[in-house]
Amino acid sequence: MPDDLLTQDAPATYDASSIEVLEGLEPVRKRPGMYIGGTDERALHHLVAEVLDNSMDEAVAGHANRIEVELHADHAMTIRDNGRGIPIDPHPKFPEKSALEVILCTLHAGGKFSGKAYETSGGLHGVGASVVNALSDSMVVQVARDKTLYEQRFSRGVPLGPVEKVGAAPNRRGTTVTFHADADIFGHHKFKPARLFKSIRSKAYLFSGVEIRWKSAIDDGETPQEATFHFPGGLSDYLRETMNGASTYAEAPFSGTVDFQQKFRTPGKVEWAINWTPSRDGFLQSYCNTVPTPEGGTHVAGFWAAILKGIKAYGELVGNKKAAQITREDLIAGGCALVSCFIREPEFVGQTKDRLATVEAQRLVENAVRDHFDNWLAADTKSAGAILDFLVLRAEERMRRRQEKETQRKSATKKLRLPGKLVDCSSNTREGTELFIVEGDSAGGSAKMARDRKTQALLPLRGKILNVLGAASSKLGSNAEINDLTQALGVGLGSRFNIDDLRYDRIIIMTDADVDGAHIASLLMTFFFTQMRPMIDAGHLYLACPPLFRLTQGAKRVYCIDEAEKNELLEKGIGGKGKIDVSRFKGLGEMDAKDLKETTMDPASRKLIRVTIDEDEPGETGDLVERLMGKKPELRFQYIQENARFVAELDV
Ligand SMILES: Nc1ncnc2c1ncn2[C@@H]1O[C@H](COP(=O)(O)OP(=O)(O)OP(=O)(O)O)[C@@H](O)[C@H]1O
Ligand SMILES: [Mg+2]
Ligand SMILES: [Mg+2]
């Protein structure tokens, strides 16, 4: 599409009045971590993602079809699109300022809150552009609109002058942002051409309606200094490229696109591609509105649910009884998958948008993929058979391994000296067993009655365990609480840790829903992270989510995780008769066994959070420990709080 065609299509309603202001700018330079997850290399590259995402949003909304990304010799970055251009007319709320200035100098100013100017955008907070501006020692924004070229310059978030007309732009429109990251913030970190190249290329795969041009003045010896990306083949091409010639069970990947509008009468779509291979570990890369979500989220949960249900149903259809044993774990092991969804008003965890939290996405993606998968399996019986056999094999292997461990556990249990206060479960196999690490003895009381004796064990911990990050390893061995814990788990510390010795399937930290509880949980997580990391990697560590409130109305009883949920329910009503009675649990000990079981312990009704670590980014893990254990308790608490609200990775 040539530029002028796009110009004619642009609706007249996208102007300053579509930009809403919710709050003022200030803390970005003081606390960059809050907005871009740190000040390291990953955070630096996130600046480019923010500006590029804004151009991608223009493209996905149908207003731009070309984006140029350029890395200059001085490490400044330019991102240019041929979209509508950021509005430059005076903003209705601040008549003395242009919308451009409001957008770049105000947090929470944006055109993506209402869905009027954009339908399914990656941007949603109205924060990205202003954050990049605040963290750049120089930023120049040029807007070509109405045949005129406008420009405004900034330094560290402060305008150096008003927006000015700098020339004519008869055949051009769009936004050009050039910024230079502030070394006061990012220190010695510099842009890496290879990293930029990779993320830009993936953007082009995610939206075939855009052409992205890459240019770099810096030669790293491996990355092309110029390239043009346009991939009409979308995700299945991307998957083929990513799998890099590995042999696969299906001849062609199972891939497709479903338009939610057509199918469910709601805006958005999902695109996916998956194939299984014997020759490498599986992976899943997920995106929402072209924003990478390395930690997955609801769209990913929906995707795996569709695949799992589909393959099991197919197994039943062809009379393969063993298909019923397949779990999500088996699917993931050799499955290489890409999932990209576009939804309206996505909810992410944090400004770096690592995880999608929109509940709706799970149902939409699952339903969309499920139909297609059933048809695909039925149509290509050769591939379907090969995949089914492979997955059944994986399931059997997994069960055999577990069996071996169970036998080991039995004999290990006899030999082991178990701590006196451990309330063990009666099952003598590891499969399906859980250890609840509970805070305080009083909680232990109701937990004892609430537990399932066969599969649920309890270990009450008294007081706060040693702040192990500060302690030398030699001190660890002499700490009584830590000794009890490692004995109960059946494992050694650090290099002596062997995951096969683990005596339980799930280790669940269950602490009060208050600051102290959060502190203890973070101490424990840090301890596990530094001493028993493979246990976290293999997905054995969980946080329980005890509720904070109980609402009773006549015979009706409901529980709420936090203040917000309580208020919402009080407003909506809970469907009982008479007055609503609110009780707040000060700690686990205040809950009776029935409450505790129903809300926190019973696998049928509880919520659990699986503790995970983002492996991709080396900077990340350090951050986690720092955030959990650093000098600021409020950050720790925030971490727990943020995560405690997220319940997408529900217990099954
Ligand atoms: N390249 C662009 N073309 C057109 N409008 C833009 C462009 N970049 C930014 N905008 C406008 O500026 C607003 C603010 O951008 P900003 O990145 O600060 O927030 P956002 O994209 O709304 O949300 P997020 O903080 O999640 O990125 C956008 O909502 C959009 O209206
Ligand atoms: Mg944005
Ligand atoms: Mg903004």
Side-chain angles (χ1 to χ4, degrees):
M1 235 189 291
D3 286 0
D4 50 356
L5 235 176
L6 284 167
T7 316
Q8 284 166 11
D9 283 351
T13 50
Y14 181 63
D15 55 21
S17 71
S18 6
I19 306 301
E20 305 164 38
V21 180
L22 301 181
E23 224 182 80
L25 173 107
E26 254 311 293
V28 184
R29 286 184 61 84
K30 267 189 220 139
R31 298 205 170 177
M34 285 269 296
Y35 299 90
I36 52 168
T39 54
D40 54 5
E41 191 183 300
R42 171 186 151 101
L44 175 71
H45 285 79
H46 188 73
L47 299 181
V48 180
E50 288 287 359
V51 182
L52 180 58
D53 284 351
N54 286 340
S55 293
M56 280 303 281
D57 284 343
E58 276 295 288
V60 173
H63 303 297
N65 60 5
R66 188 180 333 116
I67 300 173
E68 291 161 44
V69 181
E70 184 171 356
L71 172 59
H72 303 279
D74 65 349
H75 280 260
M77 294 281 328
T78 296
I79 290 120
R80 168 179 295 133
D81 65 55
N82 63 349
R84 291 169 291 183
I86 298 178
I88 37 73
D89 43 333
H91 194 275
K93 259 200 204 169
F94 306 93
E96 77 286 5
K97 285 184 192 166
S98 68
L100 173 67
E101 182 173 331
V102 173
I103 282 171
L104 286 158
C105 303
T106 320
L107 285 180
H108 305 301
K112 299 169 193 171
F113 297 112
S114 61
K116 275 184 249 152
Y118 294 89
E119 196 156 68
T120 61
S121 57
L124 69 155
H125 304 134
V127 164
S130 32
V131 166
V132 177
N133 189 21
L135 303 179
S136 297
D137 51 21
S138 151
M139 175 133 154
V140 181
V141 181
Q142 288 194 330
V143 173
R145 255 181 107 108
D146 314 323
K147 307 199 184 308
T148 311
L149 187 64
Y150 301 87
E151 183 182 283
Q152 191 167 15
R153 292 170 172 266
F154 308 84
S155 176
R156 302 193 165 96
V158 181
L160 299 178
V163 60
E164 282 173 347
K165 289 187 188 176
V166 292
N171 306 314
R172 211 183 120 186
R173 48 169 226 143
T175 306
T176 306
V177 175
T178 300
F179 68 92
H180 185 269
D182 189 350
D184 287 355
I185 306 280
F186 297 99
H188 62 279
H189 294 294
K190 289 268 181 287
F191 287 119
K192 295 262 162 73
R195 192 167 177 158
L196 294 169
F197 186 85
K198 215 174 118 194
S199 73
I200 290 162
R201 197 184 42 180
S202 77
K203 289 278 182 197
Y205 274 119
L206 292 169
F207 183 65
S208 52
V210 71
E211 177 185 294
I212 307 185
R213 296 181 188 171
W214 156 255
K215 213 169 164 187
S216 169
I218 296 169
D219 184 6
D220 67 357
E222 48 164 331
T223 309
Q225 286 182 261
E226 232 170 283
T228 300
F229 306 119
H230 174 63
F231 302 117
L235 287 191
S236 52
D237 281 358
Y238 190 19
L239 185 69
R240 213 166 284 136
E241 195 205 286
T242 315
M243 290 184 72
N244 195 16
S247 61
T248 54
Y249 287 104
E251 231 155 82
F254 163 54
S255 63
T257 313
V258 169
D259 187 332
F260 295 153
Q261 191 67 52
Q262 277 172 16
K263 198 167 160 98
F264 309 114
R265 305 197 175 285
T266 180
K269 66 173 184 174
V270 60
E271 189 183 351
W272 70 89
I274 180 169
N275 209 335
W276 278 270
T277 173
S279 51
R280 59 167 289 175
D281 277 350
F283 60 84
L284 183 136
Q285 283 173 29
S286 61
Y287 304 85
C288 176
N289 298 358
T290 83
V291 175
T293 43
E295 290 179 17
T298 46
H299 52 334
V300 171
F303 179 75
W304 285 128
I307 299 289
L308 184 60
K309 288 179 189 166
I311 199 79
K312 283 187 165 177
Y314 182 74
E316 212 174 289
L317 192 76
V318 299
N320 186 336
K321 289 211 176 62
K322 289 175 178 164
Q325 302 169 344
I326 299 171
T327 65
R328 198 171 127 166
E329 201 182 322
D330 304 321
L331 293 180
I332 296 171
C336 303
L338 300 169
V339 177
S340 157
C341 72
F342 292 83
I343 58 173
R344 197 168 52 178
E345 293 174 28
E347 264 176 74
F348 295 96
V349 180
Q351 174 70 15
T352 49
K353 301 173 182 166
D354 288 340
R355 189 167 205 157
L356 183 66
T358 310
V359 178
E360 183 74 354
Q362 178 155 354
R363 188 182 59 82
L364 290 171
V365 172
E366 178 176 339
N367 291 341
V369 175
R370 178 66 203 273
D371 279 2
H372 277 249
F373 193 41
D374 290 349
N375 291 337
W376 183 81
L377 290 166
D380 183 355
T381 49
K382 189 162 158 253
S383 297
I387 291 170
L388 184 61
D389 289 348
F390 169 66
L391 293 176
V392 165
L393 210 71
R394 294 219 67 111
E396 284 182 327
E397 214 173 275
R398 175 177 47 80
M399 298 204 319
R400 189 178 45 71
R401 274 200 313 271
R402 194 152 290 175
Q403 197 84 46
E404 279 168 12
K405 252 176 259 161
E406 283 158 12
T407 342
Q408 282 168 7
R409 181 180 186 275
K410 246 188 220 163
S411 50
T413 317
K414 277 193 205 112
K415 270 187 285 171
L416 275 174
R417 243 178 348 114
L418 290 172
K421 60 186 178 184
L422 172 74
V423 184
D424 208 358
C425 53
S426 63
S427 164
N428 45 29
T429 63
R430 163 164 145 184
E431 171 139 40
T433 59
E434 307 183 328
L435 175 69
F436 284 85
I437 304 175
V438 292
E439 172 189 354
D441 285 342
S442 58
S446 26
K448 225 172 182 170
M449 290 189 329
R451 76 186 179 121
D452 172 346
R453 298 172 153 277
K454 185 153 186 289
T455 56
Q456 298 186 316
L458 300 174
L459 181 70
L461 283 188
R462 220 160 305 156
K464 288 186 186 174
I465 61 162
L466 197 68
N467 187 334
V468 284
L469 204 68
S473 310
S474 59
K475 264 203 186 153
L476 287 178
S478 56
N479 181 285
E481 301 290 318
I482 285 181
N483 273 337
D484 285 352
L485 186 55
T486 48
Q487 273 179 17
L489 293 175
V491 296
L493 293 180
S495 56
R496 285 183 297 128
F497 177 85
N498 179 353
I499 195 148
D500 293 336
D501 295 339
L502 201 60
R503 295 179 62 248
Y504 304 92
D505 237 7
R506 294 194 173 114
I507 316 303
I508 303 169
I509 300 174
M510 184 162 78
T511 56
D512 291 350
D514 60 10
V515 186
D516 270 358
H519 186 208
I520 293 174
S522 62
L523 288 174
L524 281 167
M525 288 201 288
T526 310
F527 169 70
F528 290 132
F529 174 72
T530 53
Q531 300 296 327
M532 304 185 185
R533 166 86 193 254
M535 179 174 105
I536 304 183
D537 290 340
H540 293 288
L541 185 62
Y542 296 82
L543 291 174
C545 306
L548 212 49
F549 297 98
R550 178 180 60 209
L551 308 187
T552 353
Q553 188 180 33
K556 255 294 208 270
R557 241 190 192 195
V558 295
Y559 306 92
C560 320
I561 281 272
D562 58 15
E563 194 83 34
E565 194 181 347
K566 180 200 76 182
N567 292 338
E568 198 187 312
L569 282 177
L570 280 180
E571 213 161 273
K572 269 205 317 221
I574 59 174
K577 285 204 180 72
K579 177 173 152 295
I580 303 189
D581 213 29
V582 180
S583 45
R584 181 189 169 105
F585 301 120
K586 287 213 196 67
L588 290 167
E590 279 190 4
M591 264 188 254
D592 59 33
K594 183 173 182 299
D595 286 333
L596 190 62
K597 177 169 181 163
E598 192 175 327
T599 59
T600 319
M601 292 181 71
D602 184 355
S605 52
R606 72 182 177 197
K607 289 167 181 169
L608 282 188
I609 301 165
R610 186 194 293 250
V611 177
T612 55
I613 298 162
D614 185 4
E615 280 251 53
D616 289 355
E617 309 295 347
E620 190 81 332
T621 33
D623 276 2
L624 176 75
V625 176
E626 228 168 79
R627 282 176 77 189
L628 290 177
M629 297 308 302
K631 303 270 154 5
K632 296 193 190 114
E634 69 281 5
L635 271 188
R636 271 195 302 258
F637 189 43
Q638 182 200 336
Y639 179 81
I640 305 274
Q641 286 258 300
E642 267 172 30
N643 285 277
R645 287 251 211 80
F646 182 74
V647 291
E649 195 154 355
L650 281 187
D651 187 24
V652 277

